[in-house]
Amino acid sequence: EHRTWNTEPGHRADNMALKTLVGNKIMNDVIRATVAAHNKTPGRMEWRVLVVDNLSMKMVSACTKMHELSAEGITIVETVTKKREPMPAMEAIYLITPSEDSVRGLMGDFTSQNRTTYKAAHVYFTEACPEERFKEICNSLAAKRIKTLKEINIAFTPYESQIFSLDTPDAFQFYYNPQRASDRSAGMEKLAEQIATLCSCLGEYPSIRYRADFERNVELAQMVQQKLDAYKADEPTMGEGPEKAKTQLIILDRGFDTTSPLLHELTFQAMAFDLLDIQNDVYKYEANEGVMKEVILDENDDLWVELRHEHIAVVSQTVTKKLKKFNAEKRIQSSGDKSSMRDLSKMIKAMPQHQKELAKFSTHFALAEECMKTYQGYIDKLCKVEQDLAMGTDAEGEKIKDHMRNIVPILLDQNVTINDKIRIILLYIQSKNGISEENLTKLIQHAQIPPERTCIIKNMANMGVNVVVDGNRKKVWQMKRKERAGEQTYQMSRWTPLIKDIVEDAIEDKLDSNHFPFLNGQRQGSSTKQAPTSARYGAWHKDKKEQTVAKTLPRIICFVVGGETYSEMRAAYEVTSQNNNWEIIMGGSHVITPEAFLENVKEVGGGGADEE
């Protein structure tokens, strides 16, 4: 079974999805490269161990399949920091980050000269190895056993075809927490290195832009530029190509849009991850009486890919429609018209040959049903108020005069969770651009927020939000929002994440250059009109079906320090499908749900608002 990475329906032959790129790189530059250089007899299989650490394990499991690995002679995948069974007759391939722990694990495998864990080591670092650590390895006993030592430069996790994560939730703290000033620049260096490996992997040498309204972003942008220049010096073709000069990397920090991470989203993926307990993309549900099932929600599930950005209102209908179509194609008699979970589990028992497809339907039924249960009678009343606060207008487009009248009933409601009340209070404060100490105290009393959680509200000031103001507010620039009156929306989902406006403006060359300046100006060749490439000449050596892939598109790569939300991920796909000539790649230091965002803000205390 081979992975096919078709993203959205109607999506063009994609520019090599992130996961495919990384998967190919691991398979070719690490596994096959070792096999080609070190197998004694060509064509004869030699078994090896693959040793990973936490970060590279995420890449390997996201982007490769065990059967692909074993076809190349990998017998087992082990973790470098754990105790392992020695296999002294076998060579090991280490795909690890050059971190202290991982390198210590590598050296530990070869501490005794005659009893080594493996016969030899082929070491591939995910990113540039620091000088002093490199020296340590050279001076260790392991040095004799290392046959290969290379850097492959992938220090990020491809989360989806167009989404990446740096797996660094701590970035939120070292960026915003006043008490973390001491290790801030080390943390930022690391982020910059990771972003540079992403650009290198994508073959991009972008013009860098950053949000100027938070002073750390320019520092991070400069760090990224230095690292990119080093990669470009090593690999001069990076970022070359007819359209590539247009590519931009936009560095944002979470303070750029503190509304999106607070809202209850009603599109399938964002809603499910916000409301249900989905850990590491694993969804658990009761498939039939007393039988719990676990499924991974990822791009191997084409139904998930198709549904994840749909509004919850249509998800169940779509699943039902698709199931009917499937039944008709396979000539399956389904009992009655309404397909329910119970019917499905009966069908699965009766027709084991269709088990895989039917199981997918049952997963998404369960998922949609669970989302709807929480929505009806609970989330629905929050959504209206949240949307009004975020937009400043009601569903009819009328300006709202008195938000207080709408929010008090929710704050007084015993059934609303503390976090949901905090989300409403924060949206209210932002709609007012700050409120008085006395009003805040009133809101907190109404909502009965316990003292240990009120800090979440106050700490938002560390991200540049006006929370408590005494008449004189510091000016917060607000981007003029795009008119989207023509786009169909649901009343409960009128808000568009700011990142969508930013990306669209960047594509149209309209993004405000005072607030989102280029670091060293825009790369030249970017505004010049492209000479038409001849289809005959440009692709003459390719066969017909590859012609679509030959076209290299410029990209907008957005990076959010402090975490990216699921609604923002959706925007990456939406903008890509609306623009034939651009591909949007989005990511953050980590992926956040509203709950995770509140936890991050809770920890970010430190001094008061007088720090910055």
Side-chain angles (χ1 to χ4, degrees), residues 9 22 110 152 196 334 416 426 522 580 609:
V22 172
F110 301 96
I152 58 153
S334 64
V416 176
L426 285 172
Q522 194 166 0
N580 285 331

Side-chain angles (χ1 to χ4, degrees), residues 172 407 480 565:
F172 193 94
I407 74 172
K480 193 175 170 321
T565 67

Side-chain angles (χ1 to χ4, degrees), residues 442-459:
K442 269 197 204 121
L443 291 174
I444 288 172
Q445 282 168 349
H446 277 319
Q448 295 180 316
I449 311 283
E452 69 276 8
R453 296 197 80 74
T454 51
C455 60
I456 296 180
I457 301 169
K458 295 263 171 79
N459 287 350

